[in-house]
Amino acid sequence: QVQLVQSGGGSVAAGGSLRLSCAASGYPSEVYSRTCIGWFRQSPGQKREGIATSDTDGTATYVDSAKGRFVVSRDPIKNMVYLEMNNLKPEDSAMYYCGLDLRACILGAFTYCSTGSGFCLHETEFDYWGQGSQVTVSS
């Protein structure tokens, strides 16, 4: 069955960096040649917030608030996707999740925000989720 396994996360002081990993497996890559991994985060009592997407074609899309500090990368051989988080702030503390959409990202995982502020990710487009990685940033 389709499975997403996350690793990484932890505690770091403000200004530090962390890298999260997401390993996807359990689906035939010859059938699903284009897939989309999305990174989201959720703080207690808050809605899940989109961060970035990574497509198997190598493209990445970021929400405006993630640009400049968060970087998504992919290792196609290992079928791993990474989220590098730099210059972390206490407000970045949250549970981070990766999600999988078995289609190209452009087919629905993100669209231009109705507010006009860059791209928005749509968590309902992702059918499978990792177990979550806690990130805690101390001031």
Side-chain angles (χ1 to χ4, degrees):
Q1 69 277 19
V2 178
Q3 193 173 22
L4 297 179
V5 178
Q6 295 181 224
S7 58
S11 299
V12 66
S17 298
L18 285 172
R19 189 177 81 159
L20 306 180
S21 302
C22 179
S25 63
Y27 59 92
S29 57
E30 64 273 17
V31 175
Y32 301 101
S33 58
R34 289 283 297 274
T35 60
C36 180
I37 292 287
W39 285 101
F40 292 78
R41 67 185 184 184
Q42 188 170 22
S43 302
Q46 302 295 316
K47 290 174 56 177
R48 194 168 290 190
E49 174 189 17
I51 301 170
T53 63
S54 171
D55 195 301
T56 41
D57 70 352
T59 57
T61 302
Y62 299 86
V63 302
D64 279 1
S65 59
K67 292 178 181 178
R69 295 193 301 123
F70 291 70
V71 180
V72 173
S73 61
R74 179 184 283 262
D75 183 333
I77 296 175
K78 297 180 180 179
N79 208 18
M80 296 277 289
V81 178
Y82 306 96
L83 178 67
E84 176 117 15
M85 304 178 290
N86 302 302
N87 190 22
L88 284 163
K89 305 174 182 179
E91 52 265 40
D92 293 318
S93 297
M95 187 70 81
Y96 284 70
Y97 297 91
C98 62
L100 172 66
D101 181 1
L102 292 173
R103 304 178 303 166
C105 292
I106 201 169
L107 293 179
F110 68 84
T111 58
Y112 283 108
C113 298
S114 58
T115 57
S117 57
F119 291 107
C120 284
L121 272 62
H122 304 290
E123 65 171 296
T124 56
E125 297 295 325
F126 295 87
D127 299 313
Y128 306 95
W129 293 91
Q131 79 277 19
S133 297
Q134 180 65 47
V135 171
T136 303
V137 185
S138 58
S139 56

